[in-house]
Amino acid sequence: MEEIIKLLNENLNDTFLNAVLSNPRKADGPSKIKVRPVLIKDERMIQLEVFKGNQAFHRNAAMEEAGFIIAEQMENMKQMQLETSEALYTVLISKKGKVTVRRKSRKKEAGPADISHNRKKQYILKEGVAVPFLKDLGVMTEDGKVVNARFDKFRQINRFLEFIEDILPQLDKGKEVSILDFGCGKSYLTFAMYYYLHELKGYDVRIIGLDLKSDVIRRCNELSEKYGYSKLHFLEGDIADYTGADKVDMVVTLHACDTATDYALAKAVGWDAKVILSVPCCQHELNSQIKNDVLGPVMKYGLLKERFAALVTDGLRAEYLVSRGYDAQILEFIDMEHTPKNILIRAVKTGRKGENQDTINICEEFLHVSPALGRLLDEKGEL
């Protein structure tokens, strides 16, 4: 960790803006740690916001000891993004402990960090900064104020971008990054992806949004042309039938109904996508299949059976991705109070295929289910 400690000690000064530690090695540890400077009793300190489960814990440290504390946390993480007013750093740690540090100088020096202790929630898309697509989609006013009735949507968009922020090291900034968004709908999040990756982070991205509604697709293309987003296009079509790509870097599927999610995930595996982000919806398939005498007293209640079947569906989806060489996580997308459809499956390609097919088979036999994703992957090996 000497290299990481050296990097931190060189940059934990007045130019330091923030850092994000992510991609945990252990499932029972913190999922992410955000680091920022704070001013407490006129002393500049470093605050660590540690996310574990649905909770966040805060810890403040003196500048002189912060480097060692952060480096210690990095022993349980595989990556870190660190920003200063002068440069952006990406730190990657391999399975064998090899440390890779990438530095990218800023074209223009960034402003100072907000070091107020009790600051407002900081969103990736800032309140008060007008974003063109958010204005046209009715989320923001002309002066960048978030419309009260659309604040949940604003929070959802920013939460989604936090998931994108975590996987940035998986995307090669030296080449065009191809992204497919299946079931894009009105495309709030598709536009947000393009704006964040291309406009804010400087990635060369090509994004295709796919949906069945011709009027929605027409409107989205009009907006994309209006903003000058030359590599953001929308097509009318079905997930299962899409054949317009041979290789894709990232696949996004948000609220694709029932087995449409499975077709999207199978396509992603077939394309060897580096990153998969999926928010499933309307998991009906296994509800009609699931049967188990032991669970009979619970399954006789329709609502409980429906919810149980949905959880089983998404758990098995994640496990199938693990079996095909992905590190899969099931995360809370947004608070349950805003929508019950709040699960996000995030999968990052590792190339190390999981040895979990036997446990998948045992689970399916126990519940008498045959998920679409398993069938799709079996049909063509990897599809």
Side-chain angles (χ1 to χ4, degrees):
M1 288 291 164
E2 291 182 7
E3 189 174 355
I4 293 177
I5 292 174
K6 181 182 177 183
L7 173 67
L8 290 165
N9 288 339
E10 289 175 350
N11 290 283
L12 291 178
N13 49 43
D14 289 349
T15 69
F16 175 69
L17 299 179
N18 63 75
V20 178
L21 288 62
S22 59
N23 202 350
R25 296 181 182 277
K26 299 178 181 179
D28 58 350
S31 59
K32 180 166 63 175
I33 300 173
K34 290 187 175 183
V35 184
R36 72 179 184 98
V38 293
L39 190 66
I40 301 177
K41 295 181 179 179
D42 296 326
E43 180 184 357
R44 191 182 183 95
M45 302 183 73
I46 294 297
Q47 183 179 87
L48 286 77
E49 186 177 15
V50 182
F51 295 85
K52 191 170 183 180
N54 294 327
Q55 295 179 296
F57 305 90
H58 295 85
R59 175 184 180 183
N60 299 324
M63 295 290 285
E64 57 268 20
E65 65 176 354
F68 295 99
I69 293 173
I70 297 170
E72 184 179 37
Q73 294 291 339
M74 278 300 293
E75 292 181 0
N76 298 316
M77 298 291 184
K78 299 176 186 177
Q79 64 191 48
M80 174 172 66
Q81 292 171 266
L82 185 149
E83 295 192 28
T84 72
S85 58
E86 300 170 348
L88 307 173
Y89 295 89
T90 298
V91 179
L92 301 174
I93 304 178
S94 70
K95 189 176 182 181
K96 296 182 178 180
K98 180 183 176 182
V99 177
T100 301
V101 179
R102 299 172 185 164
R103 182 184 189 277
K104 181 177 177 60
S105 297
R106 291 182 182 274
K107 294 181 180 179
K108 182 180 179 181
E109 188 170 311
D114 177 2
I115 61 174
S116 58
H117 185 215
N118 297 316
R119 66 178 187 173
K120 290 175 63 179
K121 164 73 175 176
Q122 295 297 300
Y123 294 105
I124 291 177
L125 302 183
K126 309 293 185 185
E127 297 179 75
V129 178
V131 179
F133 76 89
L134 289 181
K135 290 192 296 180
D136 282 331
L137 293 173
V139 177
M140 274 186 173
T141 61
E142 286 295 324
D143 59 357
K145 182 179 179 181
V146 179
V147 177
N148 286 337
R150 308 309 302 276
F151 205 88
D152 286 348
K153 178 61 70 175
F154 179 73
R155 289 180 66 251
Q156 181 193 50
I157 291 170
N158 277 282
R159 178 62 173 149
F160 179 69
L161 292 181
E162 289 179 5
F163 290 120
I164 300 287
E165 181 181 57
D166 288 345
I167 55 84
L168 284 181
Q170 310 299 325
L171 305 179
D172 188 349
K173 207 166 188 179
K175 72 175 190 67
E176 181 183 83
V177 175
S178 58
I179 301 174
L180 274 171
D181 184 354
F182 285 121
C184 59
K186 293 182 179 179
S187 303
Y188 293 88
L189 301 181
T190 321
F191 279 105
M193 266 196 300
Y194 191 91
Y195 179 82
Y196 174 67
L197 290 170
H198 186 263
E199 303 292 315
L200 299 186
K201 291 297 181 179
Y203 280 80
D204 179 12
V205 294
R206 179 177 296 279
I207 301 180
I208 299 293
L210 188 74
D211 201 272
L212 291 169
K213 299 175 182 177
S214 57
D215 56 334
V216 171
I217 292 299
R218 183 174 60 254
R219 172 61 174 160
C220 289
N221 277 321
E222 289 172 354
L223 291 177
S224 180
E225 185 176 352
K226 174 182 176 181
Y227 309 141
Y229 293 172
S230 60
K231 290 189 175 183
L232 173 59
H233 304 286
F234 297 89
L235 304 174
E236 182 181 350
D238 183 80
I239 292 173
D241 299 329
Y242 183 76
T243 58
D246 297 318
K247 186 78 174 178
V248 176
D249 295 300
M250 184 163 81
V251 171
V252 176
T253 168
L254 305 172
H255 301 130
C257 192
D258 201 16
T259 56
T261 292
D262 299 294
Y263 279 96
L265 295 178
K267 293 279 189 182
V269 172
W271 287 322
D272 202 28
K274 295 178 182 177
V275 177
I276 302 170
L277 297 176
S278 175
V279 178
C281 178
C282 307
Q283 302 93 326
H284 296 311
E285 183 194 31
L286 297 196
N287 188 36
S288 62
Q289 298 180 13
I290 199 165
K291 182 179 179 182
N292 182 276
D293 292 338
V294 175
L295 296 174
V298 176
M299 293 300 174
K300 72 178 184 180
Y301 300 103
L303 178 62
L304 297 182
K305 182 183 178 184
E306 179 184 356
R307 291 185 179 180
F308 180 74
L311 294 173
V312 169
T313 299
D314 292 333
L316 287 173
R317 283 167 171 163
E319 284 300 294
Y320 270 113
L321 293 176
V322 170
S323 75
R324 263 55 178 187
Y326 287 85
D327 178 11
Q329 297 172 284
I330 291 184
L331 306 167
E332 185 179 59
F333 183 22
I334 49 178
D335 296 340
M336 182 68 81
E337 64 185 274
H338 298 293
T339 173
K341 300 170 183 177
N342 71 333
I343 282 179
L344 181 140
I345 302 172
R346 181 171 68 192
V348 175
K349 186 75 174 181
T350 65
R352 301 185 301 274
K353 294 189 177 182
E355 298 178 357
N356 60 338
Q357 190 59 54
D358 286 345
T359 57
I360 292 174
N361 293 341
I362 291 170
C363 180
E364 291 180 355
E365 289 173 9
F366 179 72
L367 297 173
H368 293 87
V369 295
S370 176
L373 181 57
R375 300 195 306 273
L376 290 168
L377 293 174
D378 286 342
E379 282 176 7
K380 298 182 180 180
E382 295 292 326
L383 195 75

